[in-house]
Amino acid sequence: MKLNIIPVEWSDEGVRMLDQRLLPTEEKWLVLRTYNDVAAGIKDMVVRGAPAIGVSAAYGFALGAKQFVGTNIDDLADELEYISDVLAKTRPTAVNLFWAIDRMNRTFQKAKSEGKSVTEIQQILLEDAKAIHTEDIESQRLIAKFGGELLEDNSTVLTHCNAGALATGGVWGTALGVIRGAVDQGKHVSVIADETRPYLQGARLTAWELMQDDIPVTLITDNMSGHIMKKGGVHAVVVGSDRIAANGDVANKIGTYMVAVLAKRHGIPFYVAAPLSTVDLECPTGEEIPIEERDIREVTHMKDIQLAPDDAVVSNYAFDVTPNDLVTAIITEKGVARAPYTESLKKQFEE
Ligand code: MRU
């Protein structure tokens, strides 16, 4: 395996992002030179996937702090509050965004209370953003190890959306990390990737990413998974998550719930792989998770080709919630959590 996909990076000119809107046909890097550019990059899905959004927001925060001109700490505090607000308004479901902004604000408050200067704080914030990135990659490595142990040799794993290196700080990924972990452990694993309408993260990103690593992948349309499961062609489902509630309800890309119901029907284990930065203990159940609704043009058009009648009434929910009773296990950097999740997830935070 090459294990070299890192979708977001810090550079002296700003935050570099691999433009995921252009994959798989074009590999182009953008340099986002202000925090507003970073916020736009998250909103427009230059970068996407919960952990990658968190890492990007941390870099955006650090970039905004670095560009602050002045020596007054209270003015910097006002500016950071404003920057936090701009970043927080980009996408509502992935809790990693809010987790990263909170952590950066706590780092600022600590440095302020220690009497650090503006210049020192700018450096401290950049170091913390880099630490968030490094820790994310390390979490994915551990998820890969723990999750890889759950997969059997010669198995076929179905995944939905892209929960790979592209969706995280890089290298392993969450759901694709589990698959990479199993391969790293010497197992033969092949993957079925749902195309994931309407944004096609499965077709455009998961297929591309696995092909980079020579992991066998078969792309299917979303409505084929039931047929293949019924024929015995899927041994496990592994997906990522945008937010996991305290009770283990899982928000993930629209269509995940359908896959989970099908997996239950066919007795196939349904695993969720995510770092603890995706677990929101303040959210008691999935009912409280905000679900993003996106531009209906994603449904009515394929690029510039119109697929639906003019003025058709359309819904475009970007995520759904899979109830915890359909989840076989949640794999985090701390290990494998099983039901009852209210206890097992809380315990992982205390370890
Ligand atoms: O809308 P997206 O592409 O940001 O949605 C991404 C997903 O739903 C992923 O499965 C999730 O963020 C987990 S990424 C490790």
Coordinates of all heavy atoms in Angstrom, one line a residue, residues 115-210:
G115 N -0.7 34.8 30.1 CA -0.1 36.1 29.8 C 0.8 36.1 28.6 O 1.7 36.9 28.4
K116 N 0.5 35.2 27.6 CA 1.3 35.1 26.4 C 1.0 36.3 25.5 O -0.1 36.9 25.5 CB 1.0 33.9 25.6 CG 1.2 32.6 26.4 CD 2.6 32.1 26.4 CE 2.7 30.7 27.0 NZ 3.9 30.5 27.7
S117 N 2.0 36.7 24.7 CA 1.9 37.8 23.8 C 1.1 37.3 22.5 O 1.0 36.1 22.3 CB 3.2 38.4 23.3 OG 3.9 37.4 22.5
V118 N 0.7 38.3 21.7 CA 0.0 38.0 20.4 C 0.8 37.1 19.6 O 0.4 36.0 19.1 CB -0.5 39.3 19.7 CG1 -0.9 38.9 18.2 CG2 -1.6 40.0 20.4
T119 N 2.1 37.4 19.4 CA 3.0 36.6 18.6 C 3.1 35.2 19.1 O 3.1 34.2 18.4 CB 4.4 37.3 18.5 OG1 4.2 38.7 18.3 CG2 5.2 36.7 17.4
E120 N 3.3 35.1 20.4 CA 3.4 33.8 21.0 C 2.1 33.0 20.8 O 2.1 31.8 20.5 CB 3.7 33.9 22.5 CG 5.1 34.3 22.8 CD 5.3 34.7 24.3 OE1 4.3 35.1 25.0 OE2 6.4 34.5 24.8
I121 N 1.0 33.6 21.0 CA -0.3 32.9 20.8 C -0.5 32.5 19.4 O -1.0 31.4 19.1 CB -1.5 33.8 21.3 CG1 -1.4 34.0 22.8 CG2 -2.8 33.2 20.8 CD1 -2.5 34.9 23.4
Q122 N -0.1 33.3 18.4 CA -0.2 32.9 17.0 C 0.6 31.6 16.8 O 0.1 30.7 16.1 CB 0.3 34.0 16.1 CG -0.6 35.2 16.1 CD 0.0 36.5 15.4 OE1 1.2 36.7 15.6 NE2 -0.8 37.2 14.8
Q123 N 1.8 31.5 17.4 CA 2.6 30.3 17.2 C 1.9 29.1 17.9 O 1.9 28.0 17.4 CB 4.0 30.6 17.7 CG 5.0 29.6 17.4 CD 5.1 29.2 15.9 OE1 4.9 30.1 15.1 NE2 5.3 28.0 15.6
I124 N 1.4 29.3 19.1 CA 0.8 28.3 19.9 C -0.4 27.7 19.2 O -0.6 26.5 19.1 CB 0.4 28.8 21.3 CG1 1.6 29.0 22.2 CG2 -0.6 27.8 22.0 CD1 1.4 29.8 23.4
L125 N -1.2 28.6 18.5 CA -2.4 28.1 17.8 C -2.0 27.3 16.6 O -2.6 26.3 16.3 CB -3.3 29.3 17.5 CG -4.0 30.0 18.6 CD1 -4.7 31.2 18.2 CD2 -5.0 29.0 19.3
L126 N -1.0 27.8 15.9 CA -0.5 27.0 14.7 C -0.1 25.6 15.2 O -0.4 24.6 14.6 CB 0.6 27.7 14.0 CG 1.2 27.0 12.8 CD1 0.1 26.6 11.8 CD2 2.2 27.8 12.1
E127 N 0.7 25.6 16.3 CA 1.2 24.3 16.8 C 0.0 23.4 17.1 O 0.0 22.2 16.9 CB 2.1 24.5 18.0 CG 3.5 24.7 17.5 CD 4.4 25.4 18.6 OE1 4.1 25.2 19.8 OE2 5.4 26.0 18.2
D128 N -1.0 23.9 17.7 CA -2.2 23.1 18.1 C -2.9 22.6 16.9 O -3.4 21.4 16.9 CB -3.1 23.8 19.1 CG -4.0 22.8 19.8 OD1 -3.4 21.8 20.2 OD2 -5.2 23.1 20.1
A129 N -3.0 23.4 15.9 CA -3.7 23.0 14.6 C -2.9 21.8 14.0 O -3.5 20.8 13.6 CB -3.8 24.1 13.6
K130 N -1.6 21.9 14.0 CA -0.8 20.8 13.5 C -0.9 19.6 14.4 O -0.9 18.5 13.9 CB 0.7 21.3 13.5 CG 1.0 22.3 12.3 CD 2.5 22.6 12.3 CE 2.8 23.6 11.1 NZ 4.1 24.1 11.2
A131 N -1.0 19.8 15.7 CA -1.2 18.7 16.6 C -2.5 17.9 16.4 O -2.6 16.7 16.3 CB -1.1 19.1 18.1
I132 N -3.6 18.7 16.1 CA -4.9 18.1 15.8 C -4.7 17.2 14.5 O -5.3 16.1 14.5 CB -6.0 19.3 15.6 CG1 -6.4 19.8 16.9 CG2 -7.2 18.7 14.8 CD1 -7.3 21.0 16.8
H133 N -4.0 17.7 13.6 CA -3.8 17.0 12.3 C -3.0 15.7 12.6 O -3.4 14.6 12.2 CB -3.0 17.8 11.3 CG -3.0 17.3 9.9 ND1 -2.5 18.0 8.9 CD2 -3.5 16.1 9.4 CE1 -2.7 17.3 7.8 NE2 -3.3 16.1 8.1
T134 N -1.9 15.8 13.3 CA -1.1 14.6 13.6 C -1.9 13.6 14.5 O -1.8 12.4 14.2 CB 0.2 15.0 14.4 OG1 0.8 16.1 13.8 CG2 1.2 13.9 14.6
E135 N -2.6 14.1 15.5 CA -3.4 13.2 16.3 C -4.5 12.5 15.5 O -4.8 11.3 15.8 CB -4.0 14.0 17.5 CG -3.1 14.4 18.5 CD -3.7 15.5 19.4 OE1 -4.9 15.6 19.6 OE2 -2.9 16.3 20.0
D136 N -5.0 13.2 14.6 CA -6.1 12.6 13.7 C -5.5 11.4 12.9 O -6.1 10.3 12.9 CB -6.7 13.6 12.8 CG -7.9 13.0 12.0 OD1 -8.9 12.7 12.7 OD2 -7.7 12.8 10.8
I137 N -4.3 11.6 12.4 CA -3.7 10.5 11.6 C -3.4 9.3 12.5 O -3.6 8.2 12.2 CB -2.4 11.0 10.9 CG1 -2.8 12.1 9.8 CG2 -1.7 9.9 10.2 CD1 -1.7 12.8 9.1
E138 N -2.9 9.6 13.7 CA -2.6 8.6 14.7 C -3.9 7.8 15.1 O -3.9 6.6 15.2 CB -1.9 9.1 15.9 CG -1.6 8.2 17.0 CD -0.7 7.0 16.6 OE1 -0.2 7.0 15.5 OE2 -0.5 6.1 17.5
S139 N -5.0 8.6 15.3 CA -6.3 7.9 15.6 C -6.7 6.9 14.5 O -7.1 5.8 14.7 CB -7.4 8.9 15.8 OG -7.1 9.7 16.9
Q140 N -6.5 7.4 13.2 CA -6.9 6.5 12.1 C -6.0 5.3 12.1 O -6.5 4.2 11.8 CB -6.8 7.2 10.7 CG -7.3 8.7 10.6 CD -8.7 8.9 11.1 OE1 -9.5 8.0 11.0 NE2 -9.0 10.1 11.6
R141 N -4.8 5.4 12.4 CA -3.9 4.3 12.4 C -4.4 3.2 13.5 O -4.4 2.0 13.2 CB -2.4 4.7 12.8 CG -1.4 3.6 12.6 CD 0.0 4.0 13.1 NE 0.1 4.2 14.5 CZ 0.2 3.2 15.4 NH1 0.2 1.9 15.1 NH2 0.2 3.5 16.7
L142 N -4.8 3.7 14.6 CA -5.3 2.8 15.6 C -6.6 2.2 15.3 O -6.9 1.0 15.5 CB -5.4 3.5 17.0 CG -4.0 3.9 17.6 CD1 -4.1 4.9 18.7 CD2 -3.3 2.7 18.0
I143 N -7.5 3.0 14.6 CA -8.8 2.5 14.2 C -8.5 1.4 13.1 O -9.2 0.3 13.1 CB -9.6 3.6 13.5 CG1 -10.1 4.6 14.6 CG2 -10.8 3.1 12.7 CD1 -10.7 5.9 14.1
A144 N -7.5 1.6 12.3 CA -7.2 0.6 11.3 C -6.7 -0.7 11.9 O -7.1 -1.8 11.5 CB -6.1 1.2 10.4
K145 N -6.0 -0.6 13.0 CA -5.5 -1.8 13.7 C -6.6 -2.5 14.4 O -6.8 -3.7 14.1 CB -4.4 -1.3 14.7 CG -3.9 -2.4 15.6 CD -2.8 -1.8 16.5 CE -2.4 -2.8 17.6 NZ -3.5 -3.1 18.6
F146 N -7.4 -1.8 15.2 CA -8.5 -2.5 15.9 C -9.5 -3.0 14.9 O -10.1 -4.1 15.1 CB -9.2 -1.5 16.9 CG -8.2 -1.1 18.0 CD1 -8.1 0.3 18.3 CD2 -7.5 -2.0 18.7 CE1 -7.2 0.7 19.3 CE2 -6.7 -1.6 19.8 CZ -6.5 -0.2 20.1
G147 N -9.9 -2.2 13.9 CA -10.9 -2.6 13.0 C -10.5 -3.7 12.1 O -11.2 -4.6 11.8
G148 N -9.2 -3.6 11.7 CA -8.7 -4.6 10.8 C -8.8 -6.0 11.4 O -9.0 -7.0 10.7
E149 N -8.7 -6.1 12.7 CA -8.8 -7.4 13.4 C -10.2 -8.0 13.3 O -10.4 -9.2 13.5 CB -8.4 -7.2 14.9 CG -6.8 -7.0 15.0 CD -6.4 -6.5 16.4 OE1 -7.2 -6.3 17.3 OE2 -5.2 -6.1 16.5
L150 N -11.2 -7.1 13.1 CA -12.6 -7.6 13.0 C -12.9 -8.3 11.7 O -13.9 -9.0 11.6 CB -13.6 -6.5 13.3 CG -13.5 -5.8 14.7 CD1 -14.4 -4.6 14.7 CD2 -13.9 -6.8 15.7
L151 N -12.1 -7.9 10.7 CA -12.4 -8.4 9.3 C -11.8 -9.8 9.1 O -10.7 -10.0 9.6 CB -12.0 -7.5 8.2 CG -12.6 -6.1 8.3 CD1 -12.2 -5.2 7.1 CD2 -14.2 -6.1 8.3
E152 N -12.5 -10.7 8.4 CA -11.9 -12.0 8.1 C -11.1 -12.0 6.8 O -11.4 -11.2 5.9 CB -13.1 -13.0 8.1 CG -13.6 -13.2 9.5 CD -14.7 -14.2 9.6 OE1 -15.0 -14.9 8.7 OE2 -15.3 -14.2 10.7
D153 N -10.2 -13.0 6.8 CA -9.4 -13.2 5.5 C -10.4 -13.5 4.4 O -11.4 -14.2 4.6 CB -8.4 -14.3 5.8 CG -7.4 -14.3 4.7 OD1 -7.3 -13.3 3.9 OD2 -6.6 -15.3 4.6
N154 N -10.1 -13.1 3.2 CA -10.9 -13.4 2.0 C -12.4 -12.9 2.2 O -13.3 -13.6 1.8 CB -10.9 -14.9 1.7 CG -9.6 -15.4 1.4 OD1 -8.9 -14.8 0.6 ND2 -9.1 -16.5 2.0
S155 N -12.5 -11.7 2.8 CA -13.9 -11.2 2.9 C -14.1 -10.0 2.0 O -13.2 -9.4 1.5 CB -14.2 -10.8 4.3 OG -13.3 -9.9 4.8
T156 N -15.4 -9.8 1.7 CA -15.8 -8.7 0.9 C -16.6 -7.7 1.8 O -17.5 -8.1 2.5 CB -16.7 -9.1 -0.3 OG1 -16.0 -10.1 -1.0 CG2 -17.2 -8.0 -1.1
V157 N -16.1 -6.5 1.7 CA -16.7 -5.4 2.6 C -17.4 -4.4 1.8 O -16.8 -3.9 0.8 CB -15.5 -4.8 3.4 CG1 -16.0 -3.7 4.3 CG2 -14.8 -5.8 4.3
L158 N -18.6 -4.1 2.2 CA -19.3 -3.0 1.5 C -19.1 -1.7 2.3 O -19.2 -1.7 3.6 CB -20.8 -3.3 1.4 CG -21.6 -2.3 0.6 CD1 -22.6 -3.0 -0.3 CD2 -22.4 -1.3 1.6
T159 N -18.9 -0.6 1.6 CA -18.8 0.7 2.3 C -19.6 1.7 1.5 O -19.9 1.6 0.3 CB -17.3 1.2 2.4 OG1 -17.3 2.3 3.3 CG2 -16.7 1.5 1.1
H160 N -20.0 2.8 2.2 CA -20.9 3.8 1.7 C -20.2 5.2 1.8 O -19.6 5.4 2.9 CB -22.2 3.8 2.5 CG -23.3 4.6 1.8 ND1 -24.0 4.2 0.7 CD2 -23.8 5.8 2.2 CE1 -24.9 5.1 0.4 NE2 -24.8 6.1 1.3
C161 N -20.3 6.0 0.8 CA -19.7 7.3 0.8 C -18.2 7.2 0.8 O -17.7 6.1 0.3 CB -20.1 8.1 2.0 SG -19.6 9.9 1.9
N162 N -17.4 8.2 1.2 CA -16.0 8.0 1.3 C -15.6 8.4 2.7 O -15.7 9.5 3.1 CB -15.2 9.0 0.3 CG -13.7 9.0 0.6 OD1 -13.2 9.8 1.3 ND2 -13.0 8.0 0.1
A163 N -15.1 7.4 3.4 CA -14.6 7.5 4.7 C -13.2 7.1 4.7 O -12.7 6.2 5.4 CB -15.4 6.8 5.8
G164 N -12.4 7.6 3.8 CA -11.0 7.2 3.6 C -10.0 8.3 4.0 O -10.4 9.2 4.7
A165 N -8.8 8.1 3.5 CA -7.8 9.1 3.8 C -8.3 10.5 3.4 O -8.0 11.5 4.1 CB -6.5 8.8 3.1
L166 N -9.0 10.6 2.3 CA -9.4 11.9 1.7 C -10.4 12.6 2.7 O -10.5 13.8 2.7 CB -10.2 11.7 0.4 CG -9.4 11.3 -0.8 CD1 -10.3 10.9 -1.9 CD2 -8.6 12.6 -1.2
A167 N -11.1 11.8 3.5 CA -12.1 12.3 4.4 C -11.5 12.6 5.8 O -12.3 13.0 6.7 CB -13.3 11.3 4.6
T168 N -10.2 12.4 6.0 CA -9.6 12.6 7.3 C -8.3 13.4 7.2 O -8.1 14.0 6.1 CB -9.2 11.2 7.9 OG1 -8.2 10.6 7.0 CG2 -10.4 10.3 8.0
G169 N -7.5 13.4 8.3 CA -6.2 14.1 8.2 C -5.3 13.4 7.1 O -4.3 14.0 6.7
G170 N -5.7 12.2 6.8 CA -5.0 11.5 5.7 C -4.4 10.1 6.1 O -4.6 9.7 7.3
V171 N -3.8 9.5 5.2 CA -3.0 8.2 5.3 C -3.9 7.0 5.4 O -3.8 6.1 4.5 CB -2.0 8.2 6.5 CG1 -1.2 6.9 6.5 CG2 -1.1 9.4 6.5
W172 N -4.7 6.8 6.5 CA -5.5 5.6 6.6 C -7.0 5.8 6.3 O -7.5 5.0 5.5 CB -5.4 5.1 8.1 CG -4.0 4.7 8.5 CD1 -3.1 5.5 9.1 CD2 -3.4 3.4 8.3 NE1 -1.9 4.8 9.3 CE2 -2.1 3.5 8.8 CE3 -3.8 2.2 7.8 CZ2 -1.2 2.4 8.9 CZ3 -3.0 1.1 7.8 CH2 -1.7 1.2 8.3
G173 N -7.6 6.8 6.9 CA -9.1 6.9 6.8 C -9.7 6.1 8.0 O -9.1 5.4 8.7
T174 N -11.0 6.2 8.1 CA -11.8 5.5 9.1 C -12.3 4.2 8.6 O -11.7 3.1 8.8 CB -12.9 6.4 9.7 OG1 -13.8 6.8 8.6 CG2 -12.3 7.6 10.4
A175 N -13.4 4.2 7.8 CA -13.9 2.9 7.2 C -12.8 2.3 6.3 O -12.5 1.1 6.4 CB -15.2 3.2 6.5
L176 N -12.2 3.1 5.5 CA -11.2 2.6 4.6 C -9.9 2.3 5.4 O -9.1 1.4 5.0 CB -10.9 3.5 3.4 CG -12.0 3.8 2.5 CD1 -11.5 4.5 1.2 CD2 -12.8 2.6 2.1
G177 N -9.8 2.9 6.5 CA -8.7 2.6 7.4 C -8.8 1.1 7.9 O -7.8 0.4 8.0
V178 N -10.0 0.8 8.3 CA -10.3 -0.6 8.8 C -9.9 -1.6 7.7 O -9.3 -2.6 7.9 CB -11.8 -0.8 9.2 CG1 -12.2 -2.2 9.4 CG2 -12.1 0.1 10.4
I179 N -10.3 -1.3 6.4 CA -9.9 -2.2 5.3 C -8.4 -2.2 5.1 O -7.8 -3.2 5.0 CB -10.7 -1.7 4.0 CG1 -12.2 -2.0 4.2 CG2 -10.1 -2.3 2.8 CD1 -13.1 -1.1 3.4
R180 N -7.8 -1.0 5.1 CA -6.3 -0.9 5.0 C -5.6 -1.7 6.1 O -4.6 -2.4 6.0 CB -5.9 0.5 5.0 CG -6.2 1.2 3.7 CD -5.5 2.6 3.6 NE -5.6 3.2 2.3 CZ -6.5 4.2 2.0 NH1 -7.3 4.7 2.9 NH2 -6.5 4.7 0.8
G181 N -6.2 -1.6 7.3 CA -5.7 -2.3 8.5 C -5.7 -3.8 8.3 O -4.7 -4.5 8.5
A182 N -6.8 -4.3 7.8 CA -6.9 -5.7 7.5 C -5.9 -6.2 6.5 O -5.2 -7.2 6.6 CB -8.3 -6.1 7.1
V183 N -5.8 -5.4 5.4 CA -4.8 -5.7 4.4 C -3.4 -5.7 4.9 O -2.5 -6.5 4.7 CB -4.9 -4.7 3.2 CG1 -3.8 -4.8 2.2 CG2 -6.3 -4.9 2.5
D184 N -3.1 -4.7 5.8 CA -1.8 -4.5 6.4 C -1.5 -5.8 7.3 O -0.4 -6.2 7.5 CB -1.9 -3.3 7.3 CG -0.5 -2.8 7.7 OD1 0.3 -2.7 6.7 OD2 -0.3 -2.4 8.8
Q185 N -2.6 -6.4 7.8 CA -2.4 -7.6 8.7 C -2.3 -8.8 7.8 O -2.4 -9.9 8.4 CB -3.6 -7.7 9.7 CG -3.6 -6.6 10.8 CD -4.9 -6.3 11.4 OE1 -5.8 -7.1 11.4 NE2 -5.0 -5.2 12.1
G186 N -2.2 -8.7 6.5 CA -2.0 -9.8 5.6 C -3.3 -10.5 5.1 O -3.2 -11.5 4.5
K187 N -4.5 -9.8 5.4 CA -5.7 -10.4 4.9 C -6.0 -10.0 3.5 O -5.6 -8.9 3.1 CB -6.9 -10.0 5.8 CG -6.7 -10.6 7.3 CD -7.7 -10.1 8.2 CE -7.4 -10.4 9.6 NZ -8.2 -9.7 10.6
H188 N -6.8 -10.8 2.8 CA -7.2 -10.5 1.5 C -8.6 -9.9 1.6 O -9.5 -10.7 2.0 CB -7.2 -11.7 0.5 CG -5.8 -12.2 0.3 ND1 -5.2 -13.1 1.1 CD2 -4.9 -11.8 -0.6 CE1 -4.0 -13.3 0.7 NE2 -3.7 -12.5 -0.3
V189 N -8.8 -8.7 1.3 CA -10.1 -8.0 1.4 C -10.4 -7.3 0.1 O -9.6 -6.7 -0.4 CB -10.1 -7.0 2.6 CG1 -11.4 -6.3 2.7 CG2 -9.8 -7.7 3.9
S190 N -11.7 -7.6 -0.3 CA -12.1 -6.8 -1.5 C -13.3 -5.9 -1.1 O -14.0 -6.2 -0.1 CB -12.4 -7.6 -2.7 OG -13.4 -8.6 -2.3
V191 N -13.5 -4.9 -1.8 CA -14.5 -3.8 -1.4 C -15.5 -3.6 -2.4 O -15.3 -3.7 -3.6 CB -13.7 -2.5 -1.1 CG1 -14.7 -1.4 -0.7 CG2 -12.6 -2.7 -0.1
I192 N -16.8 -3.5 -1.9 CA -17.9 -3.0 -2.8 C -18.2 -1.6 -2.3 O -18.4 -1.3 -1.2 CB -19.1 -3.9 -2.6 CG1 -18.8 -5.3 -3.1 CG2 -20.3 -3.3 -3.3 CD1 -19.9 -6.3 -3.0
A193 N -18.0 -0.7 -3.3 CA -18.3 0.8 -3.0 C -19.6 1.2 -3.6 O -19.8 1.2 -4.8 CB -17.1 1.6 -3.6
D194 N -20.5 1.6 -2.7 CA -21.7 2.3 -3.1 C -21.4 3.6 -3.8 O -20.6 4.4 -3.3 CB -22.7 2.6 -2.0 CG -23.4 1.4 -1.4 OD1 -23.4 0.4 -2.0 OD2 -24.0 1.6 -0.3
E195 N -22.0 3.9 -4.9 CA -21.6 5.1 -5.6 C -22.0 6.4 -4.8 O -21.3 7.4 -4.9 CB -22.3 5.3 -7.0 CG -23.8 5.4 -6.9 CD -24.5 5.7 -8.3 OE1 -23.7 6.0 -9.2 OE2 -25.7 5.6 -8.3
T196 N -23.0 6.3 -4.0 CA -23.4 7.3 -3.0 C -24.0 8.6 -3.7 O -23.3 9.7 -3.8 CB -22.3 7.7 -2.1 OG1 -21.6 6.5 -1.6 CG2 -22.8 8.5 -0.9
R197 N -25.2 8.4 -4.3 CA -25.9 9.6 -4.8 C -26.3 10.5 -3.7 O -26.5 10.1 -2.6 CB -27.2 9.0 -5.5 CG -27.0 8.6 -6.9 CD -27.1 9.7 -8.0 NE -28.5 10.3 -8.1 CZ -28.7 11.5 -8.5 NH1 -27.8 12.3 -8.9 NH2 -30.0 11.9 -8.6
P198 N -26.4 11.8 -3.9 CA -26.2 12.4 -5.3 C -24.8 12.9 -5.5 O -24.5 13.3 -6.6 CB -27.2 13.6 -5.2 CG -27.2 14.0 -3.8 CD -27.0 12.8 -3.0
Y199 N -24.0 13.0 -4.5 CA -22.7 13.7 -4.7 C -21.6 12.7 -5.2 O -20.5 13.2 -5.5 CB -22.3 14.4 -3.4 CG -21.4 15.5 -3.6 CD1 -21.8 16.7 -4.1 CD2 -20.0 15.4 -3.2 CE1 -21.0 17.8 -4.3 CE2 -19.1 16.5 -3.4 CZ -19.6 17.7 -3.9 OH -18.8 18.8 -4.1
L200 N -21.9 11.4 -5.1 CA -21.0 10.4 -5.7 C -19.6 10.3 -5.1 O -18.6 10.0 -5.7 CB -20.9 10.6 -7.2 CG -22.2 10.6 -8.0 CD1 -22.0 10.9 -9.5 CD2 -22.9 9.3 -7.8
Q201 N -19.6 10.4 -3.7 CA -18.3 10.3 -3.0 C -17.8 8.9 -3.2 O -16.6 8.6 -3.2 CB -18.5 10.6 -1.5 CG -18.7 12.0 -1.2 CD -20.2 12.4 -1.1 OE1 -21.0 11.7 -1.7 NE2 -20.5 13.4 -0.3
G202 N -18.7 7.9 -3.3 CA -18.2 6.5 -3.5 C -17.6 6.3 -4.9 O -16.5 5.7 -5.0
A203 N -18.3 6.7 -5.9 CA -17.8 6.5 -7.3 C -16.5 7.4 -7.5 O -15.5 6.9 -8.0 CB -18.9 6.9 -8.3
R204 N -16.6 8.6 -7.1 CA -15.5 9.5 -7.4 C -14.3 9.4 -6.5 O -13.1 9.5 -7.0 CB -16.0 11.0 -7.4 CG -17.1 11.3 -8.4 CD -17.3 12.8 -8.5 NE -17.7 13.4 -7.2 CZ -16.9 14.2 -6.4 NH1 -15.7 14.5 -6.8 NH2 -17.3 14.6 -5.3
L205 N -14.5 9.2 -5.2 CA -13.4 9.2 -4.3 C -13.0 7.9 -3.7 O -11.8 7.5 -3.7 CB -13.8 10.1 -3.1 CG -14.3 11.5 -3.5 CD1 -14.8 12.3 -2.3 CD2 -13.3 12.3 -4.3
T206 N -14.0 7.0 -3.3 CA -13.6 5.7 -2.7 C -13.0 4.8 -3.7 O -11.9 4.2 -3.5 CB -14.8 5.1 -2.0 OG1 -15.3 5.9 -1.0 CG2 -14.5 3.7 -1.5
A207 N -13.6 4.8 -4.9 CA -13.0 3.9 -6.0 C -11.6 4.4 -6.3 O -10.7 3.6 -6.4 CB -13.9 3.9 -7.2
W208 N -11.5 5.7 -6.5 CA -10.2 6.3 -6.8 C -9.1 5.9 -5.7 O -8.0 5.5 -6.0 CB -10.3 7.8 -6.9 CG -9.0 8.5 -7.2 CD1 -8.4 8.6 -8.5 CD2 -8.2 9.2 -6.3 NE1 -7.3 9.4 -8.3 CE2 -7.1 9.7 -7.0 CE3 -8.3 9.4 -4.9 CZ2 -6.1 10.5 -6.4 CZ3 -7.2 10.2 -4.3 CH2 -6.2 10.7 -5.1
E209 N -9.5 6.2 -4.5 CA -8.6 6.0 -3.3 C -8.1 4.6 -3.2 O -6.9 4.3 -3.0 CB -9.3 6.5 -2.1 CG -8.4 6.9 -1.0 CD -9.0 7.2 0.3 OE1 -9.9 8.1 0.4 OE2 -8.6 6.6 1.3
L210 N -9.1 3.6 -3.3 CA -8.7 2.2 -3.2 C -7.9 1.7 -4.4 O -6.9 0.9 -4.2 CB -9.9 1.3 -3.0 CG -10.7 1.5 -1.7 CD1 -12.0 0.8 -1.6 CD2 -9.8 1.1 -0.5

